[in-house]
């Protein structure tokens, strides 16, 4: 048996030439792989300059501008991967103008830069005159648009270029991350307008047709997320302001506390269209917890607006704004424009409120809770908010008129004093001390102005059944205090406002106390804080002290 096993093993043992044949095959395969590798490497080295030329010539022809590309390489790790970086395009909006020739300004900052880009394609596409690319991923895109006065007309086409073979790259989709658009200004004191875009997808990219876009960006002030979709282009080389665009937007989680002096979380949706220099916008906003820092009372704010926006400067003209805060409705027109000499924007509005509530306005402006008065409010005012780091309530300037009808005081004791005064002024003194007497409603109208968080009120005409008061004073918004001085005129005489022996004593003096057709004219004052109110006769009365307390601030 052992002999048989040995012979069998000798039979199956490979011969020396069989083992050498296997080695030869392995060596040939290795040589083929090495040759193939060198062939691919040689092919990539031959294709790379051609592809680089395609990229540069495509962009140069599109923007009529010199184009620089620091690096471009090909990889076979996942098909044919093209990677590049350090891309610079000098002109996007016409060549740079200046006292010297355009080529003398060639060292100026490029209008478009790209940190890196990447796309995949096939060998057949690379070898075609026009290489079609499905998607290009771009990182670190920055567009710098200089002021109009620093731009010239677009560079004309070179007729000689038309005779050269047409080489180019056609792209279906461009996806950008970490992008920024900077629109510069030549006005002294103004900072460039910057838009940081976290993600931007461009589709149907073509030189002479609008492209579709989807953008996600963080609005700097108020801080919030903006998502927008629409159409953009074609880009106007000679004047970017004439570039068409349209679309819709959704502005969410906008934190108004990033604007010093106000608070709340705003959401807005809308549509827009026009050109980059004149964008017509329609939209709505909702802020369920809008508040001012002087009161910190949250109120629901809803607005509907139509505006025109200059996308190159950020200036906005509000053609029509309808707003509802609490139960009050108002309309406004005006503008929000960049300021001269100071970073930021100036808000200039004309506001009309025909159906408002005074308690809503007092809740926004005073810490008192509940507010000291309620009633129907109508007003007209001019609002000016200059730029600067100061709180909105302190830098805001107001000037206008208001009227309140059906006014009642929320403080029971103060309303009882008003009721009693009204009864006496009507010659019904016996009803003045009755606790369940009818509550009287008042009306008042005045002029007002606001500066440094202080509201000055002048020509205040306060009327209630049987009496009329002329007053002036001020309201401190920060401290939630107010003080008014004036005089009250009654229908009844002094004796008619009292009973018993007091009436008999005052009766001989009725003729002396009558003045300008009034039964009695008496000095009064109204003072209070966020939680206390006081109405009383102003005796003894210092006219000079009153005038000093109520005079407008300088």
């Amino acid at each position: 048996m052992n002999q048989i096993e040995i012979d069998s093993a000798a039979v199956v043992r490979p011969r020396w030439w069989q083992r050498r044949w296997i080695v030869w095959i392995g060596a040939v395969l290795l040589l083929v792989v090495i040759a193939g590798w060198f062939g691919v490497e040689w092919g990539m080295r031959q294709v790379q300059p051609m592809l680089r030329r395609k990229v540069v010539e495509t962009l140069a022809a599109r923007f009529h501008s010199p184009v620089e590309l620091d690096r471009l390489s090909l990889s076979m790790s996942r098909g044919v991967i093209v990677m590049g970086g350090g891309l610079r395009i000098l002109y996007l909006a016409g060549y740079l103008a200046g006292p010297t020739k355009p080529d003398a300004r060639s060292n100026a900052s490029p209008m478009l830069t790209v940190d890196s880009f990447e796309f995949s394609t096939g060998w057949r596409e690379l070898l075609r005159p026009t290489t079609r690319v499905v998607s290009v991923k771009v990182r670190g895109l920055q567009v710098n648009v200089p002021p109009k006065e620093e731009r010239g007309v677009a560079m004309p086409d070179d007729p000689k270029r038309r005779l050269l073979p047409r080489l180019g790259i056609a792209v279906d989709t461009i996806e950008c991350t970490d992008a920024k658009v900077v629109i510069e200004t030549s006005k002294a004191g103004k900072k460039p307008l910057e838009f940081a875009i976290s993600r931007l997808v461009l589709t149907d990219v073509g030189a002479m047709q609008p492209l579709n876009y989807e953008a996600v960006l963080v609005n700097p002030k108020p801080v919030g997320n903006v998502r927008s979709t629409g159409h953009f282009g074609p880009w106007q080389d000679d004047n970017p302001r004439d570039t068409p665009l349209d679309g819709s937007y959704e502005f969410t989680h906008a934190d108004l506390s990033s604007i010093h002096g106000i608070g709340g979380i705003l959401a807005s949706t809308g549509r827009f269209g026009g050109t980059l220099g004149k964008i017509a916008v329609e939209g709505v906003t909702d802020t369920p917890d809008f508040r001012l820092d002087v009161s910190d009372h949250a109120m629901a704010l809803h607005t509907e607006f139509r505006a025109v926006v200059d996308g190159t400067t950020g200036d906005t003209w509000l053609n029509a704004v309808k707003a509802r805060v609490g139960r009050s409705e108002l309309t406004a027109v005006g503008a929000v424009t960049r300021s001269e000499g100071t970073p930021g924007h100036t808000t200039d509005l004309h506001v009309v409120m025909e159906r408002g509530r005074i308690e809503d306005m007092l809740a926004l402006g005073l810490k008192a809770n509940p507010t000291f008065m309620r009633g129907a409010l109508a007003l007209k005012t001019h609002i000016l908010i200059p730029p600067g780091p100061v709180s909105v309530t302190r830098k805001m300037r107001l000037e206008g008129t208001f009227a309140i009808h059906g006014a009642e005081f929320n403080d029971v004791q103060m309303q009882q004093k008003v009721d009693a005064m009204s009864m006496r002024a009507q010659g019904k003194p016996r009803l003045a001390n009755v606790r369940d007497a009818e509550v009287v409603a008042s009306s008042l109208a005045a002029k007002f102005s606001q500066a440094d968080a202080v509201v000055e009120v002048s020509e205040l005409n306060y009327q209630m059944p049987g009496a009329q008061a002329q007053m002036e004073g001020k309201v401190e918004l920060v401290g939630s205090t107010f003080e008014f001085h004036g005089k009250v005129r009654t229908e009844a005489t002094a004796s008619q406002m009292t009973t018993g022996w007091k009436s008999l004593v005052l009766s001989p003096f009725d003729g002396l106390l009558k003045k300008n057709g009034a039964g009695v004219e008496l000095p009064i004052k109204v003072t209070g804080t966020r939680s206390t109110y006081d109405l009383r006769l102003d005796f003894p009365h210092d006219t000079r002290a009153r005038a000093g307390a109520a005079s407008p601030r300088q």
Side-chain angles (χ1 to χ4, degrees):
M1 293 295 294
N2 293 337
Q3 184 63 37
I4 295 174
E5 291 176 356
I6 294 171
D7 293 343
S8 299
V11 172
V12 300
R13 183 180 301 166
R15 301 291 189 269
W16 64 270
W17 55 269
Q18 290 178 321
R19 292 195 298 270
R20 184 170 296 177
W21 179 78
I22 294 173
V23 172
W24 287 345
I25 292 176
V28 171
L29 290 176
L30 179 60
L31 290 174
V32 170
V33 170
I34 294 174
W37 183 83
F38 277 109
V40 171
E41 184 70 17
W42 179 85
M44 291 178 65
R45 289 183 178 180
Q46 298 301 312
V47 171
Q48 186 168 307
M50 180 187 68
L51 182 59
R52 179 190 180 93
R53 185 157 57 97
K54 278 189 177 185
V55 172
V56 172
E57 288 192 359
T58 299
L59 295 174
R62 172 62 189 89
F63 296 108
H64 309 292
S65 168
V67 175
E68 297 176 350
L69 182 59
D70 290 343
R71 59 188 184 277
L72 187 138
S73 60
L74 280 71
S75 171
M76 296 291 291
S77 59
R78 303 185 308 274
V80 180
I81 307 297
V82 180
M83 296 168 288
L87 175 65
R88 295 178 295 280
I89 301 176
L90 187 58
Y91 313 130
L92 288 181
Y95 62 79
L96 294 178
T100 60
K101 295 181 179 180
D103 56 358
R105 299 269 318 262
S106 59
N107 59 346
S109 299
M111 293 187 186
L112 185 146
T113 61
V114 171
D115 290 343
S116 63
F117 63 87
E118 178 181 316
F119 63 86
S120 60
T121 185
W123 281 108
R124 290 184 179 180
E125 288 293 338
L126 284 178
L127 299 176
R128 290 176 179 175
T130 299
T131 300
R132 178 164 293 279
V133 177
V134 175
S135 177
V136 177
K137 296 184 181 298
V138 177
R139 288 174 292 275
L141 168 70
Q142 179 163 330
V143 177
N144 300 289
V145 180
K148 181 178 180 180
E149 53 271 21
E150 294 184 13
R151 299 192 301 264
V153 298
M155 293 289 286
D157 285 329
D158 186 353
K160 296 181 180 179
R161 296 178 62 89
R162 300 177 183 177
L163 302 177
L164 297 175
R166 298 292 294 178
L167 296 177
I169 297 177
V171 179
D172 294 335
T173 301
I174 300 176
E175 182 176 347
C176 304
T177 56
D178 190 22
K180 181 187 292 187
V181 177
V182 180
I183 301 177
E184 301 173 358
T185 177
S186 61
K187 295 183 179 180
K190 283 191 176 183
K191 292 184 177 181
L193 190 64
E194 296 187 4
F195 299 92
I197 304 173
S198 58
R199 182 172 181 268
L200 174 65
V201 178
L202 307 174
T203 57
D204 296 335
V205 180
M208 297 307 296
Q209 67 182 22
L211 53 85
N212 300 323
Y213 72 87
E214 296 180 11
V216 179
L217 58 94
V218 177
N219 192 66
K221 186 176 288 189
V223 177
N225 302 318
V226 180
R227 295 180 180 271
S228 179
T229 60
H231 307 89
F232 183 82
W235 180 263
Q236 302 300 303
D237 294 345
D238 55 344
N239 191 358
R241 292 172 55 87
D242 294 335
T243 301
L245 81 163
D246 64 73
S248 60
Y249 74 89
E250 183 180 2
F251 190 15
T252 58
H253 300 95
D255 187 358
L256 297 180
S257 63
S258 58
I259 302 175
H260 190 37
I262 65 177
I265 302 299
L266 176 144
S268 178
T269 58
R271 296 191 59 82
F272 56 88
T275 62
L276 192 58
K278 189 177 181 181
I279 310 171
V281 185
E282 293 185 2
V284 299
T285 72
D286 283 288
T287 311
D289 55 348
F290 179 77
R291 59 191 179 274
L292 300 177
D293 60 353
V294 291
S295 67
D296 209 31
H297 292 158
M299 302 189 70
L301 173 62
H302 172 83
T303 68
E304 301 174 8
F305 64 89
R306 289 188 294 108
V308 174
V309 180
D310 185 338
T312 64
T313 63
D315 291 346
T316 302
W317 291 267
L318 300 170
N319 295 331
V321 178
K322 295 182 180 180
R324 183 176 67 251
V325 53
R327 294 187 296 163
S328 302
E329 298 179 357
L330 59 89
T331 60
V333 296
V336 181
T337 56
R338 306 189 81 190
S339 303
E340 296 285 350
T342 303
H345 290 74
T346 296
T347 301
D348 192 334
L349 300 175
H350 291 272
V351 177
V352 176
M353 178 183 293
E354 296 181 346
R355 293 185 297 177
R357 301 294 302 179
I358 183 59
E359 58 266 34
D360 292 336
M361 301 301 103
L362 293 175
L364 281 177
L366 296 175
K367 291 185 178 295
N369 190 19
T371 58
F372 69 86
M373 181 181 289
R374 62 184 183 274
L377 170 67
L379 67 81
K380 293 182 179 181
T381 183
H382 176 217
I383 302 176
L384 184 66
I385 306 176
V390 183
S391 167
V392 169
T393 51
R394 286 191 176 276
K395 66 184 180 181
M396 181 167 55
R397 303 288 186 265
L398 300 176
E399 187 172 358
T401 60
F402 71 87
I404 305 173
H405 301 283
E408 298 179 6
F409 293 94
N410 289 316
D411 182 84
V412 176
Q413 294 182 352
M414 188 170 187
Q415 183 62 44
Q416 288 178 346
K417 290 182 179 181
V418 172
D419 298 341
M421 182 180 291
S422 177
M423 293 300 103
R424 293 184 184 277
Q426 295 178 72
K428 304 173 183 178
R430 296 185 182 279
L431 299 178
N433 297 320
V434 179
R435 288 186 174 273
D436 57 354
E438 180 181 354
V439 177
V440 294
S442 308
S443 63
L444 60 155
K447 295 180 179 180
F448 70 95
S449 62
Q450 177 181 324
D452 301 325
V454 176
V455 180
E456 301 281 357
V457 181
S458 61
E459 300 182 23
L460 174 62
N461 185 356
Y462 180 90
Q463 294 183 341
M464 61 180 141
Q468 178 183 22
Q470 299 287 338
M471 308 185 73
E472 57 186 15
K474 63 181 178 181
V475 180
E476 299 272 359
L477 298 180
V478 176
S480 293
T481 62
F482 60 89
E483 180 178 356
F484 288 86
H485 294 268
K487 57 187 178 182
V488 62
R489 294 162 51 83
T490 65
E491 294 178 359
T493 61
S495 61
Q496 292 172 339
M497 290 190 289
T498 59
T499 60
W501 64 270
K502 294 181 180 179
S503 177
L504 294 175
V505 172
L506 292 174
S507 181
F509 300 98
D510 283 345
L512 296 175
L513 295 175
K514 286 183 179 181
K515 191 174 182 180
N516 299 324
V520 174
E521 184 175 283
L522 297 172
I524 60 170
K525 66 177 179 180
V526 182
T527 59
T529 65
R530 68 183 64 177
S531 58
T532 61
Y533 309 91
D534 187 49
L535 169 64
R536 64 179 62 192
L537 294 175
D538 201 8
F539 287 124
H541 187 60
D542 187 340
T543 304
R544 290 174 298 177
R546 180 193 69 179
S551 62
R553 297 185 126 202
Q554 300 299 321

